Amino acid sequence: MSSLPGRAAILAEGAEGEANARTEADARTEADAKAEADAKAETAATAAASWRALGTLVQLVVTEPHALAEARRLLEADLAAVDLACSRFRADSEICTLRATPGPQASHGPQVTPGPQATVSQQVSQQVSQQVSPLLAEAIAVALRAAELTEGDVDPTVGAAMSAVGYDRDFEEIQRAGQTEQPVTVRTVPGWREVRLEGRTLTMPTGIQLDLGATAKAWAADRSAARIAQQAGCGVLVSLGGDIAVAGPAPGGGWRIRVQDVTGSPDEPPGGPYALVAIRDGGLATSSTKARRWQRGGDVLHHILDPRTGLPAEPVWRTVSVAAGTCADANAASTAAVIRGRAALGWLAKLGLPSRLVDATGAVFTVAGWPEDTDGRE
């Protein structure tokens, strides 16, 4: 199998340099986050800002306070472009127009006229090719690479299955709507091997709905951190809902990040066992079965689908955090680990990716050099 490129990105606990990062499970309000970021900007050598975009909390930290305004401008522009290209919840997004406006039929693949009882696999048999923008092509390439490296655990063709289980709009809208009695519908996942990308030419069967939610935020964090570091000439940390990428020169002891089920500032008293880690480069990502949850037909569901079943993965792990050479690789590994269940421990160890896994009972497991947790309960 292909291997995710590992890197010993975890440094000693208690390193200098301050970075404030959360997973999606963080329950604190946006106002709290902004106040915390503003306070840190006033007292530390770094400068920080936070706001919401892509349906999640955005956090930006730079090592040169004078560069913060320009860094924020660049990041906001990047995230707006990614949203317009990749969001499956915007009717005007490029990825949605792929479903609405099929291109010319490719010469391979049989034509099928599905009947009213046709299965999804029947409905996606006609191949079409379309030209996509450079930005969307890059996002799809990252998603296909993640699928290959995880042997299909992270699959971008889960869009229809995700909608079928109820994740069919922005999560904030799902929360406002509350529980629905509509039963869960299971859709077959066509599989990432049905999708081919050659340059900017995307070929896939009709009926496939791409969902880049498992990879797009982490890729966007990598992309923006690198661009800001190059243009601003300083160290940068970008966190998108807990998917963290860093670039440029790091603070004195690395970017310090506290990791737990509800992650917060290293300066605040932790609410339970935690790991205080530091990274100088690459990325760190956390996947959670507790963050984006909703009820449908009496079932409690979450947003990490197992493409083999078309249903949310068994919640063996409450959270999985992984450090790797890029945030995209870290996120692919953490998502795949949730889907693999207990087998993830050996898989991550074999890959040499420092990881922290918390099971449904709260028991913490660490592999590949991730530091042991500290009991923060007081």
Side-chain angles (χ1 to χ4, degrees):
M1 98 178 205
S2 300
S3 296
L4 283 159
R7 179 178 296 177
I10 298 294
L11 306 179
E13 180 177 346
E16 297 176 359
E18 299 184 10
N20 144 37
R22 295 170 177 77
T23 68
E24 291 178 342
D26 198 334
R28 286 185 295 172
T29 66
E30 180 180 355
D32 292 335
K34 185 177 187 306
E36 177 182 289
D38 290 345
K40 292 178 73 62
E42 293 173 1
T43 59
T46 58
S50 61
W51 64 97
R52 293 192 69 81
L54 303 183
T56 195
L57 180 67
V58 178
Q59 292 182 293
L60 169 66
V61 188
V62 294
T63 56
E64 298 291 341
H66 67 82
L68 181 61
E70 175 64 7
R72 177 167 181 163
R73 185 190 67 79
L74 292 170
L75 182 54
E76 287 179 337
D78 282 352
L79 298 184
V82 168
D83 191 47
L84 185 57
C86 301
S87 174
R88 67 185 180 93
F89 304 132
R90 290 181 55 166
D92 63 341
S93 73
E94 185 179 3
I95 202 166
C96 284
T97 65
L98 294 180
R99 303 199 302 262
T101 312
Q105 181 181 337
S107 59
H108 48 275
Q111 296 188 35
V112 174
T113 302
Q117 304 301 318
T119 65
V120 170
S121 60
Q122 289 175 321
Q123 294 177 0
V124 298
S125 59
Q126 180 178 319
Q127 298 278 340
V128 295
S129 296
Q130 300 180 64
Q131 291 293 303
V132 298
S133 69
L135 185 63
L136 183 57
E138 184 179 348
I140 293 172
V142 169
L144 293 176
R145 178 177 181 274
E148 182 178 10
L149 294 177
T150 62
E151 298 179 315
D153 289 330
V154 181
D155 191 318
T157 67
V158 298
M162 193 76 78
S163 294
V165 299
Y167 198 1
D168 54 0
R169 69 207 109 147
D170 281 329
F171 190 69
E172 291 176 354
E173 293 183 28
I174 295 174
Q175 287 181 307
R176 286 194 296 267
Q179 181 177 352
T180 174
E181 295 305 318
Q182 184 176 352
V184 174
T185 303
V186 180
R187 290 286 187 93
T188 301
V189 175
W192 66 277
R193 294 184 186 279
E194 296 287 336
V195 180
R196 294 197 312 280
L197 182 68
E198 298 176 351
R200 291 174 50 197
T201 302
L202 175 68
T203 302
M204 62 182 185
T206 57
I208 283 185
Q209 296 181 25
L210 294 180
D211 176 13
L212 306 183
T215 54
K217 287 203 311 293
W219 158 71
D222 283 327
R223 181 174 176 271
S224 291
R227 189 163 90 100
I228 293 168
Q230 181 179 27
Q231 295 197 23
C234 65
V236 181
L237 178 146
V238 173
S239 173
L240 303 179
D243 288 342
I244 301 166
V246 300
W255 294 101
R256 191 165 57 118
I257 303 164
R258 196 178 74 206
V259 179
Q260 60 184 59
D261 280 353
V262 179
T263 306
S265 167
D267 298 327
E268 294 184 353
Y274 67 94
L276 184 61
V277 301
I279 60 175
R280 286 190 179 279
D281 50 20
L284 188 153
T286 297
S287 296
S288 173
T289 59
K290 293 292 186 181
R292 301 193 173 218
R293 293 161 63 90
W294 64 96
Q295 287 187 292
R296 190 178 181 93
D299 295 314
V300 178
L301 306 167
H302 63 81
H303 71 296
I304 301 178
L305 255 61
D306 183 341
R308 296 164 186 80
T309 65
L311 290 169
E314 288 295 321
V316 173
W317 303 116
R318 198 159 72 193
T319 59
V320 178
S321 300
V322 178
T326 65
C327 185
D329 283 346
N331 184 71
S334 65
T335 303
V338 169
I339 293 168
R340 290 181 179 231
R342 294 287 173 184
L345 290 168
W347 180 67
L348 292 167
K350 184 177 179 180
L351 291 174
L353 295 175
S355 306
R356 176 184 187 269
L357 304 90
V358 184
D359 73 10
T361 70
V364 178
F365 300 80
T366 59
V367 300
W370 187 286
E372 294 299 317
D373 272 25
T374 298
D375 189 349
R377 288 167 291 195
E378 298 179 351

